Amino acid sequence: MKKTNDFGRDSIPLLVLKISVPFMIAQFVNVFYSIVDRIYVGNIPGTGADALAGVGVCAPIVTLLSSFGTLFGIGGSVLFSVRLGAGDEKGARRLMANSFSMLIGVSLALTILFLLSKEWLLRCFGASEVTFVYAETYLTIYTAGTFFALLAMGMNYFITAQGFPVLGMMTTLIGAVINIVLDPVFIFLLDQGVAGAAMATVIAQMSSCAFVLLTLRRKKMKVPLGIVKPEMSVGRRIVQIGFSPFLILATDSIIIIALNAVLQHYGGQEYGDTLITAATIVQSYMLLITSPMLGITGGSQPLISYNYGANRPDRIRKIFFWVLMLCVCFTSIMFVISRIVPQYFVYIFTDQQEYRELAVWGIQAFTLMIIPLSFQYVFVDGLTALGMTKTSLSLSLIRKSMYFAATCILPLFFAAESAFYAEPIADGAAACISSCVFCFIYRRYLRGEGRLKDIKI
């Protein structure tokens, strides 16, 4: 039997690396294969730019759908880890089974809801007459596979929470490889265009889902997967814990919607689609930064929750320090890359000079405050792992509110492109606020004034 990581006794720096780095790689790969879709779509002969804008309009809807996977995945796995840390395997099994049952029901409901409302959603979210046909085709096929995507994403957290981060990483690697192989086959060889990109993604998600469920049923798992009739009391607590990361992702989609709508409105018929195409490339680049960071902080959550359940504040302090160091190092490297060579990333999406120049400038604007953003991610996700969901949610909403406001207000006084500066403005301000709040409250909380009863099922 493979040796698992001991969250209660192993060295903290090694645990952070062994748990967070595979999770970080998994998030990177997960983003990478969605970016691969956009790369291939952007290079479709003749219609690539318009098709890419259409897929960009779908991006916030895809993000919104994905956020439900984190609602039950993170919410359930945090409570699951606390129970394991307290030695309560029966309670842990109950939590995972309830998370699984609720994910099944919610995934089916969301699939039906979004398929029925897709046309209205796309019109509201910035699709023009030119890009609508591409957006509708992509979204229809992608939404049909929502069930598999949400199960794979949500239940994968329970693999990492049981001390198997490499297996968790394999979930996304399997999906990525399948998607990357099938994309050119469906898009170019079978001449399916945008529809081919969506079909390749759905097949990849089905494969990841099968791997996750089979892995959780294996005997090597401390707590094997089961299914129960959802319990309202357990479900309510899972949603309370998972609501903060859910809202972070859900509001990301709202901001992208606002950005696309603002760019379309102020750019007009002649320039609106161009701006959205460039913004889609820029947002793809940002995902290469924010998703690995989310992997680092999300991977550390089971460590924090487990040691909270085991009443080890000394280990929790060390976990926060090393996770923050890892995030700062990563964002510092990405900041330098963003200043020096962003053009090479942009070139793989399009060969048109107008889009290239605008996207390179957009990347450099968006990434001005990514190093301070490390503090926001570490502190907000860490507070969620400690059960302080109201505080973490408030800090997240502050950042999102500033981002949304700046996106809408800046173009009123400057050119449409000024909306790109909303990201660094919000990132810098929110990082300062979150750091001050965290430093004020977390020491008192770890000294025992926050109790295990606060996060029990």
Side-chain angles (χ1 to χ4, degrees), residues 65 130 161 187 207 307 429:
L65 285 168
V130 174
I187 295 173
S207 303
N307 282 282

Side-chain angles (χ1 to χ4, degrees), residues 291-335:
S291 290
M293 263 210 298
L294 185 62
I296 295 171
T297 58
S300 71
Q301 284 181 321
L303 296 178
I304 295 171
S305 298
Y306 183 99
N307 282 282
Y308 181 69
N311 194 26
R312 294 294 305 274
D314 56 320
R315 290 177 66 81
I316 294 174
R317 291 189 186 95
K318 292 178 182 178
I319 293 168
F320 272 111
F321 174 78
W322 287 105
V323 171
L324 182 59
M325 291 300 99
L326 189 57
C327 277
V328 168
C329 289
F330 171 70
T331 52
S332 298
I333 293 170
M334 293 305 296
F335 180 82

Side-chain angles (χ1 to χ4, degrees), residues 185-426:
V185 174
F186 282 115
I187 295 173
F188 300 112
L189 187 62
L190 300 180
D191 197 25
Q192 293 296 306
V194 169
M199 287 188 286
T201 299
V202 170
I203 293 172
Q205 290 168 342
M206 292 172 66
S207 303
S208 294
C209 180
F211 179 82
V212 168
L213 299 184
L214 289 172
T215 298
L216 286 172
R217 290 292 298 170
R218 294 171 69 178
K219 293 181 179 179
K220 69 163 59 178
M221 291 289 126
K222 296 175 184 175
V223 181
L225 178 63
I227 187 168
V228 297
K229 181 180 178 180
E231 302 171 63
M232 289 299 296
S233 60
V234 178
R236 184 164 50 250
R237 196 63 194 123
I238 289 172
V239 170
Q240 286 175 348
I241 296 294
F243 191 70
S244 178
F246 161 76
L247 199 61
I248 291 171
L249 284 178
T251 50
D252 276 344
S253 68
I254 293 172
I255 290 169
I256 297 173
I257 291 164
L259 179 61
N260 287 343
V262 165
L263 294 177
Q264 189 68 56
H265 176 75
Y266 288 100
Q269 283 189 332
E270 294 183 357
Y271 200 39
D273 286 344
T274 300
L275 286 169
I276 291 178
T277 300
T280 301
I281 297 172
V282 174
Q283 288 155 4
S284 298
Y285 184 86
M286 283 298 294
L287 286 174
L288 294 178
I289 299 171
T290 57
S291 290
M293 263 210 298
L294 185 62
I296 295 171
T297 58
S300 71
Q301 284 181 321
L303 296 178
I304 295 171
S305 298
Y306 183 99
N307 282 282
Y308 181 69
N311 194 26
R312 294 294 305 274
D314 56 320
R315 290 177 66 81
I316 294 174
R317 291 189 186 95
K318 292 178 182 178
I319 293 168
F320 272 111
F321 174 78
W322 287 105
V323 171
L324 182 59
M325 291 300 99
L326 189 57
C327 277
V328 168
C329 289
F330 171 70
T331 52
S332 298
I333 293 170
M334 293 305 296
F335 180 82
V336 173
I337 292 173
S338 303
R339 308 269 78 74
I340 300 175
V341 290
Q343 63 272 19
Y344 295 110
F345 178 82
V346 174
Y347 290 174
I348 62 178
F349 283 88
T350 179
D351 59 0
Q352 298 184 41
Q353 191 63 27
E354 180 183 17
Y355 297 113
R356 286 182 170 184
E357 292 178 356
L358 186 58
V360 168
W361 169 82
I363 286 173
Q364 293 178 336
F366 260 65
T367 56
L368 285 171
M369 287 289 172
I370 58 171
I371 297 175
L373 187 60
S374 301
F375 292 80
Q376 171 80 6
Y377 270 63
V378 172
F379 295 154
V380 168
D381 283 358
L383 291 171
T384 299
L386 288 171
M388 302 185 68
T389 52
K390 290 182 180 179
T391 304
S392 62
L393 180 57
S394 298
L395 293 174
S396 298
L397 288 178
I398 288 171
R399 174 176 175 261
K400 302 298 183 179
S401 298
M402 289 189 292
Y403 195 164
F404 182 84
T407 298
C408 297
I409 292 172
L410 287 174
L412 289 174
F413 302 97
F414 307 102
E417 298 94 318
S418 64
F420 284 45
Y421 285 110
E423 170 88 30
I425 290 172

Side-chain angles (χ1 to χ4, degrees), residues 38 52 124 172 175 204 257 399:
R38 300 178 188 183
L52 182 58
C124 291
T172 50
I257 291 164
R399 174 176 175 261

Side-chain angles (χ1 to χ4, degrees), residues 9-20:
R9 288 192 289 268
D10 287 355
S11 165
I12 294 297
L14 283 178
L15 268 178
V16 169
L17 289 175
K18 289 164 69 176
I19 299 297
S20 291

